[in-house]
Amino acid sequence: IPAVAKEAVLALTNTRSLESDEGIDAAQMLQSLSWGKDLTATLLARDEDGKMAVTLKSSEGNEEETINAEIIADGLARVARKSAAYSLVNGMTEGGAAVMALHKTLEKCEQAASKSRAGMWRYGDVGDDDDAEI
């Protein structure tokens, strides 16, 4: 019997490694939002590594808000660059409007986290130099 579970990543969502406080906080938040709950995964495409890029929604939460957005809004993750969104669009067989809409939504969540100084934004702006850490 082939395995049913497949490895996936949260689409357009970049977290820090588990060696940093924000990485641990992001993992704990993902666990609290998903563990033991009914989730809906929307498969968008495969990323550069061949993993499925997904959005997750909890049956207990707001139908419009994804777990991806919640983690970014809490300042525990960053939105992937627009080039990553275009890369996902190129991997799709149909139009990539959903990916671009998701990217725009996640950018708004990141801006809100930055303004409220949540999570990794608590000391101010996280510059492009920090992207290498994520």
Side-chain angles (χ1 to χ4, degrees):
I1 299 173
V4 176
K6 302 290 182 191
E7 189 172 3
V9 295
L10 294 176
L12 304 177
T13 306
N14 294 332
T15 60
R16 296 193 182 213
S17 74
L18 290 174
E19 296 168 1
S20 74
D21 290 339
E22 288 89 5
I24 292 170
D25 291 343
Q28 289 173 340
M29 183 174 186
L30 176 63
Q31 180 182 15
S32 71
L33 292 172
S34 60
W35 192 260
K37 298 177 182 166
D38 291 332
L39 300 176
T40 302
T42 303
L43 308 174
L44 297 174
R46 292 201 179 268
D47 69 2
E48 303 86 31
D49 299 325
K51 296 177 187 171
M52 291 183 290
V54 302
T55 58
L56 292 178
K57 292 183 184 179
S58 173
S59 60
E60 297 177 6
N62 180 349
E63 286 185 23
E64 296 298 317
E65 188 156 316
T66 64
I67 290 175
N68 310 43
E70 290 183 54
I71 292 172
I72 290 173
D74 275 12
L76 300 177
R78 295 206 48 199
V79 180
R81 294 178 186 253
K82 204 164 215 170
S83 60
Y86 288 129
S87 176
L88 283 180
V89 168
N90 290 335
M92 298 175 72
T93 56
E94 305 247 340
V99 172
M100 298 314 291
L102 174 65
H103 191 268
K104 188 174 183 177
T105 299
L106 296 179
E107 280 182 328
K108 288 179 185 177
C109 292
E110 185 176 85
Q111 289 170 358
S114 174
K115 284 184 182 178
S116 67
R117 297 199 181 268
M120 69 176 73
W121 303 98
R122 68 182 160 269
Y123 300 119
D125 192 28
V126 178
D128 287 340
D129 294 340
D130 294 337
D131 282 345
E133 293 179 17
I134 294 181

